[in-house]
Amino acid sequence: MIFLLAFAIGAIWIAGRMFFGTFIVDPFMIVVLSYTMTRFIYTHITPRFRISGLRRFFVLLAPVSFITLALGMCLPYFNLVDSGKVYFGLLPQWFVGSANGNDFMWNGLGFHLLFGKKLVPAELLPTYRHFWFNVLAVFGLGLDACLMVWAILEGNARALVKETSYFRGFVLEWCRIVFVGIAWSTLMAALASLLVRYYS
């Protein structure tokens, strides 16, 4: 039990330094990584364990992921963490985006480079001063958690199925997961754009 607690605390600390994302990039990454990691774990790692208790240990990864998801969104959103302090300093600041945590949550991780402008302008920052941005942030966090559960269940289910066709079993399934991630990220960007118009 002490080992599991130490593992959970260590995972949260590492995630707190590495797995911060943004409201726009995170939805895609959450869906794709949750699915991919779960499918990999249940296809290649857990079958090697003969003790069922060890196999069930991987179920603990889901609550640890929820905690890190919440921390990774709340801390920068309320400017409690600067973006320069995450990712262990491995990514250059020009790519990460603004050091301001709230600005990073809406405009970071290359969004400004990809689209040539910020999604949420400086005059609306920090967005936690605006009621509807807070509603969107809570909605985003809640739906991210739901999509994470869905992606984990999908990855687990696909790992248990013996595929007869590589194309149908892997390529089409992967395309479906990527599409869901892109759709959710696009929806968050569209809703944030509507709020920018509303408050401008």
Side-chain angles (χ1 to χ4, degrees):
M1 188 64 183
I2 293 173
F3 169 76
L4 293 178
L5 184 61
F7 173 80
I9 291 169
I12 290 168
W13 181 83
I14 290 170
R17 296 299 304 266
M18 192 65 190
F19 296 115
F20 282 94
T22 70
F23 287 121
I24 310 306
V25 176
D26 249 11
F28 173 79
M29 297 303 293
I30 285 168
V31 170
V32 172
L33 287 178
S34 296
Y35 173 82
T36 305
M37 289 172 63
T38 304
R39 186 166 180 173
F40 177 80
I41 286 170
Y42 282 95
T43 301
H44 301 290
I45 297 177
T46 57
R48 298 176 190 270
F49 293 123
R50 292 207 169 102
I51 303 169
S52 61
L54 286 174
R55 285 193 294 241
R56 283 194 283 268
F57 167 74
F58 287 98
V59 175
L60 289 175
L61 293 177
V64 169
S65 298
F66 294 139
I67 293 168
T68 57
L69 174 66
L71 285 175
M73 293 181 115
C74 292
L75 293 178
Y77 183 74
F78 290 108
N79 284 331
L80 299 172
V81 171
D82 291 339
S83 67
K85 295 182 180 170
V86 299
Y87 307 111
F88 297 107
L90 297 174
L91 296 177
Q93 193 66 49
W94 58 264
F95 178 77
V96 171
S98 169
N100 175 288
N102 188 263
D103 189 6
F104 163 75
M105 287 302 293
W106 297 106
N107 302 310
L109 284 185
F111 184 89
H112 58 295
L113 301 173
L114 223 71
F115 297 99
K117 65 175 190 155
K118 290 187 171 188
L119 178 65
V120 177
E123 57 268 19
L124 292 178
L125 299 173
T127 54
Y128 55 76
R129 294 177 305 174
H130 306 289
F131 175 76
W132 290 111
F133 270 107
N134 291 327
V135 170
L136 180 59
V138 170
F139 172 74
L141 176 59
L143 202 49
D144 280 353
C146 292
L147 283 173
M148 180 188 288
V149 170
W150 173 80
I152 288 170
L153 292 174
E154 282 288 306
N156 190 11
R158 298 307 291 186
L160 299 175
V161 173
K162 286 258 186 198
E163 303 293 355
T164 54
S165 163
Y166 176 80
F167 180 76
R168 187 170 156 222
F170 186 76
V171 176
L172 289 181
E173 181 69 12
W174 178 258
C175 289
R176 183 171 72 97
I177 296 298
V178 168
F179 174 78
V180 169
I182 290 173
W184 175 224
S185 285
T186 304
L187 174 65
M188 280 299 288
L191 292 173
S193 296
L194 285 175
L195 288 181
V196 168
R197 286 187 170 203
Y198 174 76
Y199 283 112
S200 295

